Amino acid sequence: MADFRAMTAVEVIEALRQSAPTLILLHKRPDADAVGSALALRLWLEAMGSPACCICADEMPEHLAFLGAGLQESLLITAVPAGFEGARIIAVDTASPAQAGELVPELEARVSLMIDHHGTGTPFADHYILPSAAASGEIVLALIRASDVAVTPRMATLLYAAISADTGCFRYSNTTTATHLAAAFLVERGIDTAEINRQLYEAKSLSLLTAEKAGFERLHFYESGRIAILTFPYALQQQLGLKDEHLGTLVDVARCVYGVEIAAAIRETATPGVYRVSMRANVDFDVAAVAARFGGGGHTRAAGATLTADDAERAEAMILEALLQAER
Ligand code: 5GP
Ligand code: MN
């Protein structure tokens, strides 16, 4: 495997000061950290003289449209946009090639820099990875500030949303002093934090609520209620008319129950026998290590993986067994 190098902040800023058309790649099933970080990165590069465009293997989810409004409604490109043929490519919030997804195929191999905060992953380019950062948005903000480019209210809105989202509105254990200081700096730029957090946490589509309702009905508890797992068959997703983006927060249905320490949501994909697993820990337990056993990864308390199993019961048994083994 090629050897990729860890870069310093100074090197990253120097590299990005060189103006060149730039494609910013974010992971499939994009979340607010990916979208917010990528769009802020785009505005920063544009301020330094580089035309930039964000690309993703999936469309902008409906609930994040407020972040892209007026900037970039669509993230999914099916062909390289005009003027970006030989563009440099930067990946953000994307820990491994599998997370990039089925993008215009030749792009992935051309990534020249990764900016990320995932501790477990497979670097696929020279990188600037800070696992201590709560969100990729925290890293992008620090880079912009160190570059002496002004952080505009627009950038601040994007970065605040990124940081708020990955910390569950500053509730999760990844929230540090640095996270709060970053947020305070962003609030000083005059942003509407109440509206951003309302969009992220309070406004839910009926489809999302439908997914949660079905999720609650499918919860299974183990180990006296310390472990909660739910499975979501693809047939049910189709029957309820739900898109993938409506199922991304199902694991919160499992993790919010009183007494639950470890939660998992397993959803069948359109490919029979292939399941997406999301895991969360409410206690000091490394779900990323469990995800890594299935070729996935993430953070200590939030991780994911893709696995193959004969059916949903088998997938649930595999995850339960892996969690119990890791606890021993
Ligand atoms: P989620 O459960 O929300 O899909 O993912 C939780 C965390 O784990 C996120 O930070 C995400 O980037 C990471 N993650 C999810 N799936 C994978 C995967 O397949 N591989 C790796 N390396 N990380 C993942
Ligand atoms: Mn992130």
Side-chain angles (χ1 to χ4, degrees):
M1 206 183 80
D3 231 356
F4 298 113
R5 202 168 67 84
M7 295 175 75
T8 65
V10 171
E11 288 173 327
V12 171
I13 293 165
E14 271 320 301
L16 297 187
R17 265 193 221 284
Q18 314 297 319
S19 72
T22 309
L23 291 171
I24 300 161
L25 167 64
L26 49 155
H27 60 78
K28 61 184 174 182
R29 292 183 300 274
D31 55 15
D33 185 29
V35 171
S37 301
L39 288 172
L41 196 54
R42 181 189 136 178
L43 294 173
W44 179 40
L45 286 166
E46 287 174 348
M48 295 194 296
S50 295
C53 174
C54 299
I55 60 172
C56 181
D58 285 314
E59 260 310 348
M60 182 85 84
E62 197 183 314
H63 67 281
L64 298 181
F66 76 102
L67 290 174
L71 261 183
Q72 190 172 357
E73 310 295 332
S74 169
L75 297 171
L76 177 66
I77 61 158
T78 47
V80 178
F84 288 89
E85 289 79 9
R88 71 178 162 200
I89 305 177
I90 303 174
V92 65
D93 201 44
T94 305
S96 42
Q99 285 185 289
E102 291 81 43
L103 208 68
V104 185
E106 70 274 16
L107 294 185
E108 186 191 298
R110 284 188 16 221
V111 173
S112 59
L113 169 65
M114 295 167 60
I115 297 174
D116 189 28
H117 69 125
H118 294 94
T120 59
T122 313
F124 49 99
D126 287 351
H127 45 81
Y128 186 60
I129 301 172
L130 300 182
S132 62
S136 292
E138 205 177 303
I139 303 174
V140 173
L141 173 63
L143 290 170
I144 300 175
R145 290 181 70 179
S147 76
D148 287 330
V149 168
V151 176
T152 62
R154 182 84 206 222
M155 289 176 186
T157 296
L158 292 164
L159 293 169
Y160 181 90
I163 296 169
S164 173
D166 265 23
T167 58
C169 207
F170 308 93
R171 287 174 301 154
Y172 301 154
S173 64
N174 59 349
T175 310
T176 64
T177 310
T179 315
H180 283 295
L181 289 171
F185 174 86
L186 295 169
V187 173
E188 277 183 332
R189 311 272 81 66
I191 59 176
D192 189 346
T193 56
E195 176 57 14
I196 298 167
N197 286 320
R198 189 188 68 78
Q199 295 268 12
L200 290 177
Y201 298 104
E202 286 170 23
K204 292 186 179 185
S205 67
L206 277 177
S207 294
L208 195 124
L209 291 169
T210 302
E212 288 187 353
K213 177 167 177 272
F216 276 115
E217 285 164 0
R218 302 187 59 81
L219 267 178
H220 292 153
F221 295 97
Y222 302 96
E223 302 289 301
S224 318
R226 285 193 307 106
I227 298 178
I229 306 181
L230 68 85
T231 59
F232 212 95
Y234 188 66
L236 179 61
Q237 180 180 345
Q238 282 185 307
Q239 185 197 322
L240 297 173
L242 303 175
K243 295 191 209 162
D244 287 349
E245 68 181 68
H246 301 129
L247 306 181
T249 52
L250 268 181
V251 69
D252 295 331
V253 164
R255 82 175 291 180
C256 76
V257 181
Y258 190 81
V260 169
E261 297 179 354
I262 307 167
I266 304 168
R267 54 199 165 91
E268 191 180 10
T269 67
T271 311
V274 178
Y275 295 82
R276 273 291 309 160
V277 188
S278 284
M279 288 180 278
R280 301 289 185 269
N282 289 331
V283 294
D284 191 14
F285 177 86
D286 190 359
V287 283
V290 176
R293 288 185 46 180
F294 299 98
H299 312 281
T300 313
R301 293 192 179 199
T306 301
L307 63 93
T308 50
D310 292 339
D311 54 40
E313 286 77 53
R314 187 72 206 120
E316 182 162 334
M318 284 163 71
I319 292 298
L320 177 62
E321 181 55 30
L323 290 172
L324 293 174
Q325 263 184 26
E327 272 199 323
R328 276 179 213 128

